Amino acid sequence: LMIRGEADRVIPPEVEATALDALPNVTQTMMPGCGHYPQYLQPRQMADAMHIFLVAHAGILSTGATR
């Protein structure tokens, strides 16, 4: 899972593109209006993105219990 803030000024888009090319199975989530630290700037949206990914890829239910 790669979560990126749309307004990130620290990591250039070309570096992100290189990382995406190197990680063929990566899932990317772009956070609109967010800068370099989405975990601090938009913690709820960051947690939601992680939850969606885990439910989709790890079989974790919304209650946090495993199947």
Side-chain angles (χ1 to χ4, degrees):
L1 175 61
M2 179 185 290
I3 299 175
R4 178 176 172 79
E6 182 181 50
D8 188 337
R9 295 183 190 173
V10 177
I11 307 293
E14 54 273 7
V15 171
E16 176 192 11
T18 300
L20 290 171
D21 289 342
L23 302 166
N25 296 322
V26 72
T27 297
Q28 181 188 30
T29 299
M30 185 68 70
M31 295 184 63
C34 189
H36 183 66
Y37 295 105
Q39 66 273 27
Y40 298 115
L41 299 171
Q42 296 181 1
R44 183 73 231 169
Q45 294 87 339
M46 174 87 170
D48 289 345
M50 292 173 67
H51 178 82
I52 290 166
F53 175 82
L54 290 172
V55 168
H57 293 92
I60 296 176
L61 303 175
S62 61
T63 61
T66 58
R67 292 184 193 186

Short mmCIF file of all heavy atoms in Angstrom, two decimals:
data_model
loop_
_atom_site.label_atom_id
_atom_site.label_comp_id
_atom_site.label_asym_id
_atom_site.label_seq_id
_atom_site.Cartn_x
_atom_site.Cartn_y
_atom_site.Cartn_z
N LEU A 1 0.85 -1.18 0.00
CA LEU A 1 0.00 0.00 0.00
C LEU A 1 0.89 1.23 0.00
O LEU A 1 1.76 1.38 0.85
CB LEU A 1 -0.91 0.00 1.22
CG LEU A 1 -1.80 1.23 1.42
CD1 LEU A 1 -2.75 1.42 0.26
CD2 LEU A 1 -2.56 1.11 2.72
N MET A 2 0.69 2.09 -0.98
CA MET A 2 1.39 3.37 -1.03
C MET A 2 0.34 4.47 -0.91
O MET A 2 -0.53 4.58 -1.77
CB MET A 2 2.17 3.52 -2.34
CG MET A 2 2.90 4.85 -2.44
SD MET A 2 3.70 5.11 -4.05
CE MET A 2 5.01 3.92 -3.97
N ILE A 3 0.44 5.23 0.15
CA ILE A 3 -0.48 6.35 0.36
C ILE A 3 0.31 7.63 0.14
O ILE A 3 1.35 7.83 0.74
CB ILE A 3 -1.09 6.30 1.77
CG1 ILE A 3 -1.88 5.01 1.96
CG2 ILE A 3 -1.96 7.53 2.01
CD1 ILE A 3 -2.43 4.80 3.34
N ARG A 4 -0.22 8.47 -0.74
CA ARG A 4 0.49 9.70 -1.08
C ARG A 4 -0.46 10.88 -0.97
O ARG A 4 -1.61 10.82 -1.39
CB ARG A 4 1.01 9.61 -2.51
CG ARG A 4 1.71 10.86 -2.99
CD ARG A 4 2.28 10.65 -4.39
NE ARG A 4 2.79 11.87 -4.97
CZ ARG A 4 3.96 12.43 -4.67
NH1 ARG A 4 4.75 11.86 -3.78
NH2 ARG A 4 4.35 13.53 -5.25
N GLY A 5 0.05 11.96 -0.39
CA GLY A 5 -0.69 13.20 -0.36
C GLY A 5 -0.58 13.90 -1.70
O GLY A 5 0.52 14.04 -2.25
N GLU A 6 -1.69 14.30 -2.24
CA GLU A 6 -1.72 14.94 -3.55
C GLU A 6 -0.84 16.21 -3.59
O GLU A 6 -0.25 16.52 -4.61
CB GLU A 6 -3.17 15.30 -3.89
CG GLU A 6 -3.37 15.93 -5.23
CD GLU A 6 -4.83 16.26 -5.46
OE1 GLU A 6 -5.45 16.89 -4.58
OE2 GLU A 6 -5.34 15.87 -6.51
N ALA A 7 -0.75 16.91 -2.47
CA ALA A 7 0.03 18.15 -2.40
C ALA A 7 1.42 17.93 -1.80
O ALA A 7 2.04 18.87 -1.32
CB ALA A 7 -0.75 19.19 -1.59
N ASP A 8 1.92 16.70 -1.82
CA ASP A 8 3.24 16.39 -1.28
C ASP A 8 4.31 17.14 -2.08
O ASP A 8 4.42 16.97 -3.29
CB ASP A 8 3.48 14.88 -1.37
CG ASP A 8 4.74 14.44 -0.65
OD1 ASP A 8 5.66 15.27 -0.46
OD2 ASP A 8 4.82 13.26 -0.29
N ARG A 9 5.09 17.96 -1.38
CA ARG A 9 6.16 18.72 -2.04
C ARG A 9 7.53 18.14 -1.70
O ARG A 9 8.55 18.66 -2.14
CB ARG A 9 6.11 20.18 -1.61
CG ARG A 9 4.86 20.88 -2.08
CD ARG A 9 4.89 22.33 -1.71
NE ARG A 9 3.58 22.94 -1.95
CZ ARG A 9 3.27 24.15 -1.59
NH1 ARG A 9 4.15 24.91 -0.98
NH2 ARG A 9 2.08 24.62 -1.84
N VAL A 10 7.56 17.08 -0.90
CA VAL A 10 8.83 16.48 -0.48
C VAL A 10 9.27 15.39 -1.46
O VAL A 10 10.43 15.34 -1.86
CB VAL A 10 8.72 15.92 0.96
CG1 VAL A 10 10.01 15.23 1.37
CG2 VAL A 10 8.36 17.03 1.93
N ILE A 11 8.35 14.51 -1.83
CA ILE A 11 8.65 13.41 -2.76
C ILE A 11 8.18 13.82 -4.15
O ILE A 11 6.98 13.95 -4.39
CB ILE A 11 7.94 12.10 -2.34
CG1 ILE A 11 8.25 11.73 -0.89
CG2 ILE A 11 8.30 10.97 -3.31
CD1 ILE A 11 9.68 11.35 -0.62
N PRO A 12 9.10 14.02 -5.09
CA PRO A 12 8.69 14.40 -6.45
C PRO A 12 7.90 13.28 -7.13
O PRO A 12 8.14 12.10 -6.87
CB PRO A 12 10.02 14.62 -7.18
CG PRO A 12 11.06 14.73 -6.11
CD PRO A 12 10.55 13.97 -4.94
N PRO A 13 6.97 13.63 -8.00
CA PRO A 13 6.17 12.62 -8.71
C PRO A 13 7.01 11.59 -9.46
O PRO A 13 6.63 10.42 -9.54
CB PRO A 13 5.31 13.44 -9.67
CG PRO A 13 5.23 14.79 -9.04
CD PRO A 13 6.54 14.99 -8.33
N GLU A 14 8.16 11.99 -10.00
CA GLU A 14 8.99 11.03 -10.73
C GLU A 14 9.59 9.97 -9.80
O GLU A 14 9.79 8.82 -10.20
CB GLU A 14 10.07 11.72 -11.56
CG GLU A 14 10.97 12.65 -10.81
CD GLU A 14 10.44 14.09 -10.68
OE1 GLU A 14 9.30 14.38 -11.06
OE2 GLU A 14 11.21 14.92 -10.18
N VAL A 15 9.83 10.32 -8.55
CA VAL A 15 10.31 9.33 -7.57
C VAL A 15 9.19 8.36 -7.25
O VAL A 15 9.40 7.15 -7.15
CB VAL A 15 10.85 10.02 -6.30
CG1 VAL A 15 11.15 9.01 -5.21
CG2 VAL A 15 12.08 10.86 -6.63
N GLU A 16 7.99 8.88 -7.10
CA GLU A 16 6.83 8.02 -6.87
C GLU A 16 6.64 7.06 -8.04
O GLU A 16 6.39 5.86 -7.86
CB GLU A 16 5.57 8.85 -6.68
CG GLU A 16 4.33 8.02 -6.54
CD GLU A 16 3.05 8.82 -6.63
OE1 GLU A 16 3.08 10.00 -7.01
OE2 GLU A 16 1.99 8.23 -6.34
N ALA A 17 6.77 7.57 -9.26
CA ALA A 17 6.60 6.73 -10.45
C ALA A 17 7.64 5.61 -10.48
O ALA A 17 7.32 4.47 -10.82
CB ALA A 17 6.71 7.58 -11.72
N THR A 18 8.86 5.91 -10.09
CA THR A 18 9.92 4.89 -10.02
C THR A 18 9.56 3.82 -9.00
O THR A 18 9.71 2.62 -9.25
CB THR A 18 11.27 5.53 -9.67
OG1 THR A 18 11.60 6.48 -10.69
CG2 THR A 18 12.37 4.49 -9.57
N ALA A 19 9.06 4.24 -7.86
CA ALA A 19 8.66 3.28 -6.82
C ALA A 19 7.50 2.42 -7.30
O ALA A 19 7.49 1.20 -7.08
CB ALA A 19 8.27 4.03 -5.54
N LEU A 20 6.53 3.02 -7.97
CA LEU A 20 5.39 2.25 -8.48
C LEU A 20 5.84 1.23 -9.52
O LEU A 20 5.34 0.11 -9.55
CB LEU A 20 4.34 3.19 -9.08
CG LEU A 20 3.56 4.05 -8.08
CD1 LEU A 20 2.72 5.08 -8.82
CD2 LEU A 20 2.70 3.19 -7.17
N ASP A 21 6.80 1.61 -10.36
CA ASP A 21 7.33 0.67 -11.35
C ASP A 21 8.07 -0.49 -10.70
O ASP A 21 8.03 -1.62 -11.18
CB ASP A 21 8.27 1.39 -12.32
CG ASP A 21 7.54 2.32 -13.27
OD1 ASP A 21 6.31 2.17 -13.42
OD2 ASP A 21 8.21 3.19 -13.86
N ALA A 22 8.74 -0.20 -9.59
CA ALA A 22 9.53 -1.23 -8.90
C ALA A 22 8.66 -2.17 -8.07
O ALA A 22 9.11 -3.26 -7.71
CB ALA A 22 10.57 -0.57 -8.00
N LEU A 23 7.46 -1.76 -7.76
CA LEU A 23 6.56 -2.55 -6.93
C LEU A 23 5.31 -2.89 -7.73
O LEU A 23 4.28 -2.22 -7.63
CB LEU A 23 6.18 -1.76 -5.67
CG LEU A 23 7.35 -1.32 -4.79
CD1 LEU A 23 6.90 -0.27 -3.79
CD2 LEU A 23 7.96 -2.51 -4.09
N PRO A 24 5.36 -3.95 -8.54
CA PRO A 24 4.27 -4.23 -9.47
C PRO A 24 2.93 -4.55 -8.80
O PRO A 24 1.89 -4.36 -9.42
CB PRO A 24 4.77 -5.42 -10.28
CG PRO A 24 5.82 -6.04 -9.43
CD PRO A 24 6.42 -4.94 -8.63
N ASN A 25 2.94 -5.00 -7.58
CA ASN A 25 1.68 -5.36 -6.91
C ASN A 25 1.20 -4.30 -5.93
O ASN A 25 0.32 -4.57 -5.11
CB ASN A 25 1.84 -6.70 -6.18
CG ASN A 25 2.09 -7.82 -7.15
OD1 ASN A 25 1.51 -7.86 -8.23
ND2 ASN A 25 2.97 -8.72 -6.80
N VAL A 26 1.78 -3.12 -6.01
CA VAL A 26 1.43 -2.08 -5.06
C VAL A 26 0.02 -1.53 -5.34
O VAL A 26 -0.42 -1.47 -6.48
CB VAL A 26 2.47 -0.93 -5.07
CG1 VAL A 26 2.36 -0.11 -6.34
CG2 VAL A 26 2.33 -0.04 -3.86
N THR A 27 -0.66 -1.15 -4.28
CA THR A 27 -1.93 -0.44 -4.38
C THR A 27 -1.65 0.99 -3.97
O THR A 27 -1.10 1.24 -2.90
CB THR A 27 -2.98 -1.04 -3.44
OG1 THR A 27 -3.23 -2.39 -3.84
CG2 THR A 27 -4.28 -0.25 -3.47
N GLN A 28 -2.01 1.94 -4.81
CA GLN A 28 -1.76 3.34 -4.52
C GLN A 28 -3.05 4.04 -4.12
O GLN A 28 -4.09 3.84 -4.75
CB GLN A 28 -1.16 4.05 -5.73
CG GLN A 28 -0.84 5.51 -5.46
CD GLN A 28 -0.42 6.26 -6.69
OE1 GLN A 28 -0.85 5.94 -7.80
NE2 GLN A 28 0.41 7.26 -6.53
N THR A 29 -2.95 4.86 -3.09
CA THR A 29 -4.07 5.70 -2.66
C THR A 29 -3.57 7.14 -2.63
O THR A 29 -2.57 7.44 -1.99
CB THR A 29 -4.57 5.30 -1.26
OG1 THR A 29 -5.03 3.95 -1.31
CG2 THR A 29 -5.69 6.20 -0.80
N MET A 30 -4.26 8.02 -3.35
CA MET A 30 -3.92 9.43 -3.38
C MET A 30 -4.89 10.16 -2.46
O MET A 30 -6.11 9.99 -2.57
CB MET A 30 -4.04 9.96 -4.81
CG MET A 30 -3.61 11.38 -4.97
SD MET A 30 -1.84 11.66 -4.74
CE MET A 30 -1.17 10.87 -6.21
N MET A 31 -4.35 10.98 -1.56
CA MET A 31 -5.18 11.73 -0.63
C MET A 31 -5.28 13.18 -1.10
O MET A 31 -4.30 13.92 -1.02
CB MET A 31 -4.62 11.61 0.78
CG MET A 31 -4.68 10.17 1.28
SD MET A 31 -4.13 9.94 2.97
CE MET A 31 -5.31 10.91 3.84
N PRO A 32 -6.45 13.59 -1.58
CA PRO A 32 -6.63 14.94 -2.10
C PRO A 32 -6.36 16.01 -1.04
O PRO A 32 -6.74 15.85 0.13
CB PRO A 32 -8.10 14.98 -2.53
CG PRO A 32 -8.51 13.56 -2.64
CD PRO A 32 -7.66 12.79 -1.68
N GLY A 33 -5.67 17.07 -1.46
CA GLY A 33 -5.44 18.21 -0.59
C GLY A 33 -4.49 17.95 0.57
O GLY A 33 -4.40 18.76 1.48
N CYS A 34 -3.80 16.83 0.54
CA CYS A 34 -2.93 16.45 1.65
C CYS A 34 -1.47 16.61 1.24
O CYS A 34 -1.10 16.37 0.10
CB CYS A 34 -3.22 15.00 2.05
SG CYS A 34 -2.40 14.51 3.57
N GLY A 35 -0.63 16.95 2.21
CA GLY A 35 0.80 17.10 1.96
C GLY A 35 1.57 15.82 2.23
O GLY A 35 1.05 14.71 2.10
N HIS A 36 2.81 15.98 2.69
CA HIS A 36 3.74 14.87 2.83
C HIS A 36 3.42 13.92 3.99
O HIS A 36 3.81 12.77 3.97
CB HIS A 36 5.16 15.41 3.00
CG HIS A 36 6.21 14.35 3.08
ND1 HIS A 36 6.51 13.51 2.02
CD2 HIS A 36 7.00 13.95 4.10
CE1 HIS A 36 7.46 12.67 2.37
NE2 HIS A 36 7.78 12.91 3.64
N TYR A 37 2.74 14.39 5.01
CA TYR A 37 2.48 13.57 6.20
C TYR A 37 0.99 13.28 6.38
O TYR A 37 0.35 13.83 7.27
CB TYR A 37 3.02 14.27 7.45
CG TYR A 37 4.51 14.41 7.48
CD1 TYR A 37 5.12 15.63 7.24
CD2 TYR A 37 5.32 13.31 7.74
CE1 TYR A 37 6.50 15.76 7.25
CE2 TYR A 37 6.70 13.42 7.76
CZ TYR A 37 7.28 14.64 7.51
OH TYR A 37 8.65 14.76 7.53
N PRO A 38 0.42 12.42 5.55
CA PRO A 38 -1.03 12.17 5.66
C PRO A 38 -1.44 11.62 7.02
O PRO A 38 -2.54 11.88 7.49
CB PRO A 38 -1.33 11.18 4.54
CG PRO A 38 -0.02 10.61 4.14
CD PRO A 38 1.02 11.61 4.50
N GLN A 39 -0.55 10.88 7.68
CA GLN A 39 -0.89 10.32 8.98
C GLN A 39 -1.10 11.40 10.04
O GLN A 39 -1.81 11.18 11.01
CB GLN A 39 0.16 9.30 9.44
CG GLN A 39 1.53 9.86 9.73
CD GLN A 39 2.44 9.96 8.52
OE1 GLN A 39 2.00 10.08 7.39
NE2 GLN A 39 3.74 9.92 8.77
N TYR A 40 -0.50 12.57 9.83
CA TYR A 40 -0.70 13.69 10.75
C TYR A 40 -1.71 14.70 10.22
O TYR A 40 -2.47 15.28 10.99
CB TYR A 40 0.63 14.43 10.99
CG TYR A 40 1.68 13.57 11.64
CD1 TYR A 40 2.84 13.25 10.96
CD2 TYR A 40 1.50 13.05 12.91
CE1 TYR A 40 3.80 12.44 11.53
CE2 TYR A 40 2.46 12.24 13.50
CZ TYR A 40 3.60 11.95 12.80
OH TYR A 40 4.55 11.14 13.38
N LEU A 41 -1.70 14.92 8.91
CA LEU A 41 -2.55 15.95 8.32
C LEU A 41 -4.00 15.49 8.14
O LEU A 41 -4.92 16.29 8.26
CB LEU A 41 -1.98 16.38 6.96
CG LEU A 41 -0.58 16.99 7.02
CD1 LEU A 41 -0.02 17.17 5.62
CD2 LEU A 41 -0.61 18.32 7.77
N GLN A 42 -4.19 14.21 7.82
CA GLN A 42 -5.53 13.66 7.62
C GLN A 42 -5.59 12.26 8.24
O GLN A 42 -5.75 11.26 7.54
CB GLN A 42 -5.87 13.62 6.13
CG GLN A 42 -5.95 14.97 5.48
CD GLN A 42 -6.32 14.89 4.01
OE1 GLN A 42 -6.53 13.83 3.45
NE2 GLN A 42 -6.40 16.05 3.37
N PRO A 43 -5.45 12.16 9.56
CA PRO A 43 -5.36 10.84 10.19
C PRO A 43 -6.58 9.96 9.98
O PRO A 43 -6.46 8.75 9.79
CB PRO A 43 -5.13 11.16 11.67
CG PRO A 43 -5.58 12.56 11.84
CD PRO A 43 -5.37 13.24 10.53
N ARG A 44 -7.76 10.52 9.98
CA ARG A 44 -8.97 9.71 9.79
C ARG A 44 -9.01 9.13 8.38
O ARG A 44 -9.30 7.96 8.19
CB ARG A 44 -10.22 10.56 10.05
CG ARG A 44 -11.51 9.79 9.95
CD ARG A 44 -11.66 8.88 11.14
NE ARG A 44 -11.97 7.56 10.65
CZ ARG A 44 -11.96 6.46 11.37
NH1 ARG A 44 -11.66 6.53 12.64
NH2 ARG A 44 -12.26 5.31 10.87
N GLN A 45 -8.71 9.96 7.38
CA GLN A 45 -8.71 9.49 6.00
C GLN A 45 -7.60 8.46 5.78
O GLN A 45 -7.78 7.50 5.04
CB GLN A 45 -8.55 10.67 5.04
CG GLN A 45 -9.71 11.63 5.03
CD GLN A 45 -9.61 12.73 6.10
OE1 GLN A 45 -8.91 12.61 7.09
NE2 GLN A 45 -10.35 13.81 5.89
N MET A 46 -6.46 8.65 6.45
CA MET A 46 -5.36 7.69 6.35
C MET A 46 -5.80 6.35 6.93
O MET A 46 -5.58 5.30 6.33
CB MET A 46 -4.14 8.24 7.11
CG MET A 46 -2.99 7.30 7.23
SD MET A 46 -1.93 7.45 5.81
CE MET A 46 -0.55 6.47 6.36
N ALA A 47 -6.42 6.39 8.11
CA ALA A 47 -6.90 5.15 8.74
C ALA A 47 -7.95 4.47 7.86
O ALA A 47 -7.94 3.24 7.73
CB ALA A 47 -7.46 5.46 10.12
N ASP A 48 -8.83 5.26 7.27
CA ASP A 48 -9.85 4.69 6.38
C ASP A 48 -9.20 4.00 5.18
O ASP A 48 -9.61 2.90 4.79
CB ASP A 48 -10.82 5.77 5.90
CG ASP A 48 -11.74 6.27 6.99
OD1 ASP A 48 -11.85 5.62 8.06
OD2 ASP A 48 -12.37 7.34 6.78
N ALA A 49 -8.20 4.64 4.57
CA ALA A 49 -7.52 4.05 3.42
C ALA A 49 -6.83 2.74 3.80
O ALA A 49 -6.89 1.76 3.06
CB ALA A 49 -6.50 5.04 2.85
N MET A 50 -6.21 2.72 4.97
CA MET A 50 -5.55 1.49 5.44
C MET A 50 -6.58 0.40 5.71
O MET A 50 -6.36 -0.76 5.38
CB MET A 50 -4.71 1.79 6.68
CG MET A 50 -3.52 2.68 6.37
SD MET A 50 -2.63 3.22 7.84
CE MET A 50 -1.98 1.67 8.41
N HIS A 51 -7.69 0.77 6.31
CA HIS A 51 -8.74 -0.20 6.62
C HIS A 51 -9.30 -0.82 5.34
O HIS A 51 -9.44 -2.05 5.24
CB HIS A 51 -9.85 0.47 7.42
CG HIS A 51 -10.99 -0.45 7.74
ND1 HIS A 51 -10.95 -1.32 8.80
CD2 HIS A 51 -12.17 -0.65 7.12
CE1 HIS A 51 -12.07 -2.02 8.81
NE2 HIS A 51 -12.82 -1.63 7.81
N ILE A 52 -9.59 0.01 4.36
CA ILE A 52 -10.11 -0.48 3.08
C ILE A 52 -9.12 -1.46 2.45
O ILE A 52 -9.50 -2.53 1.97
CB ILE A 52 -10.43 0.69 2.14
CG1 ILE A 52 -11.65 1.46 2.65
CG2 ILE A 52 -10.64 0.22 0.70
CD1 ILE A 52 -11.86 2.80 2.01
N PHE A 53 -7.85 -1.12 2.47
CA PHE A 53 -6.83 -1.99 1.91
C PHE A 53 -6.77 -3.32 2.65
O PHE A 53 -6.74 -4.39 2.04
CB PHE A 53 -5.46 -1.30 1.97
CG PHE A 53 -4.33 -2.18 1.52
CD1 PHE A 53 -4.05 -2.32 0.17
CD2 PHE A 53 -3.56 -2.86 2.43
CE1 PHE A 53 -3.02 -3.14 -0.26
CE2 PHE A 53 -2.52 -3.69 2.02
CZ PHE A 53 -2.25 -3.82 0.68
N LEU A 54 -6.76 -3.26 3.97
CA LEU A 54 -6.67 -4.50 4.76
C LEU A 54 -7.88 -5.39 4.57
O LEU A 54 -7.75 -6.60 4.45
CB LEU A 54 -6.47 -4.17 6.24
CG LEU A 54 -5.11 -3.57 6.57
CD1 LEU A 54 -5.08 -3.10 8.03
CD2 LEU A 54 -4.00 -4.57 6.31
N VAL A 55 -9.06 -4.80 4.52
CA VAL A 55 -10.27 -5.59 4.29
C VAL A 55 -10.19 -6.27 2.92
O VAL A 55 -10.50 -7.45 2.79
CB VAL A 55 -11.54 -4.71 4.41
CG1 VAL A 55 -12.75 -5.44 3.89
CG2 VAL A 55 -11.75 -4.29 5.86
N ALA A 56 -9.73 -5.53 1.92
CA ALA A 56 -9.68 -6.07 0.56
C ALA A 56 -8.58 -7.11 0.37
O ALA A 56 -8.75 -8.05 -0.39
CB ALA A 56 -9.49 -4.93 -0.44
N HIS A 57 -7.45 -6.96 1.06
CA HIS A 57 -6.29 -7.79 0.78
C HIS A 57 -5.90 -8.77 1.87
O HIS A 57 -5.17 -9.72 1.59
CB HIS A 57 -5.09 -6.90 0.46
CG HIS A 57 -5.26 -6.14 -0.81
ND1 HIS A 57 -5.81 -4.89 -0.84
CD2 HIS A 57 -5.00 -6.48 -2.09
CE1 HIS A 57 -5.86 -4.47 -2.09
NE2 HIS A 57 -5.38 -5.42 -2.86
N ALA A 58 -6.34 -8.55 3.07
CA ALA A 58 -5.90 -9.42 4.15
C ALA A 58 -7.04 -10.19 4.80
O ALA A 58 -6.83 -10.90 5.75
CB ALA A 58 -5.15 -8.60 5.21
N GLY A 59 -8.25 -10.00 4.31
CA GLY A 59 -9.38 -10.73 4.85
C GLY A 59 -9.78 -10.30 6.25
O GLY A 59 -10.38 -11.07 7.00
N ILE A 60 -9.48 -9.08 6.61
CA ILE A 60 -9.85 -8.58 7.94
C ILE A 60 -11.24 -7.97 7.87
O ILE A 60 -11.52 -7.16 6.99
CB ILE A 60 -8.81 -7.57 8.44
CG1 ILE A 60 -7.46 -8.26 8.61
CG2 ILE A 60 -9.26 -6.91 9.72
CD1 ILE A 60 -6.35 -7.35 8.99
N LEU A 61 -12.07 -8.34 8.78
CA LEU A 61 -13.44 -7.82 8.83
C LEU A 61 -13.44 -6.43 9.46
O LEU A 61 -12.49 -6.03 10.13
CB LEU A 61 -14.33 -8.75 9.66
CG LEU A 61 -14.38 -10.20 9.17
CD1 LEU A 61 -15.18 -11.03 10.14
CD2 LEU A 61 -14.99 -10.27 7.78
N SER A 62 -14.51 -5.70 9.29
CA SER A 62 -14.60 -4.34 9.83
C SER A 62 -14.51 -4.32 11.35
O SER A 62 -14.18 -3.32 11.94
CB SER A 62 -15.89 -3.67 9.36
OG SER A 62 -17.01 -4.38 9.83
N THR A 63 -14.78 -5.43 12.01
CA THR A 63 -14.68 -5.49 13.47
C THR A 63 -13.23 -5.70 13.91
O THR A 63 -12.93 -5.61 15.09
CB THR A 63 -15.50 -6.66 14.03
OG1 THR A 63 -14.99 -7.87 13.48
CG2 THR A 63 -16.96 -6.51 13.70
N GLY A 64 -12.35 -5.98 12.97
CA GLY A 64 -10.96 -6.22 13.29
C GLY A 64 -10.66 -7.70 13.48
O GLY A 64 -9.51 -8.10 13.60
N ALA A 65 -11.69 -8.53 13.48
CA ALA A 65 -11.48 -9.97 13.64
C ALA A 65 -11.05 -10.59 12.30
O ALA A 65 -11.42 -10.09 11.25
CB ALA A 65 -12.78 -10.63 14.11
N THR A 66 -10.29 -11.64 12.38
CA THR A 66 -9.89 -12.32 11.16
C THR A 66 -10.89 -13.43 10.84
O THR A 66 -11.59 -13.91 11.71
CB THR A 66 -8.48 -12.92 11.28
OG1 THR A 66 -8.47 -13.81 12.39
CG2 THR A 66 -7.45 -11.83 11.48
N ARG A 67 -10.92 -13.83 9.59
CA ARG A 67 -11.84 -14.89 9.17
C ARG A 67 -11.34 -16.25 9.61
O ARG A 67 -10.22 -16.53 9.72
CB ARG A 67 -11.96 -14.90 7.64
CG ARG A 67 -12.65 -13.69 7.15
CD ARG A 67 -12.81 -13.83 5.66
NE ARG A 67 -13.19 -12.53 5.14
CZ ARG A 67 -13.53 -12.31 3.92
NH1 ARG A 67 -13.54 -13.25 3.05
NH2 ARG A 67 -13.84 -11.11 3.52
#
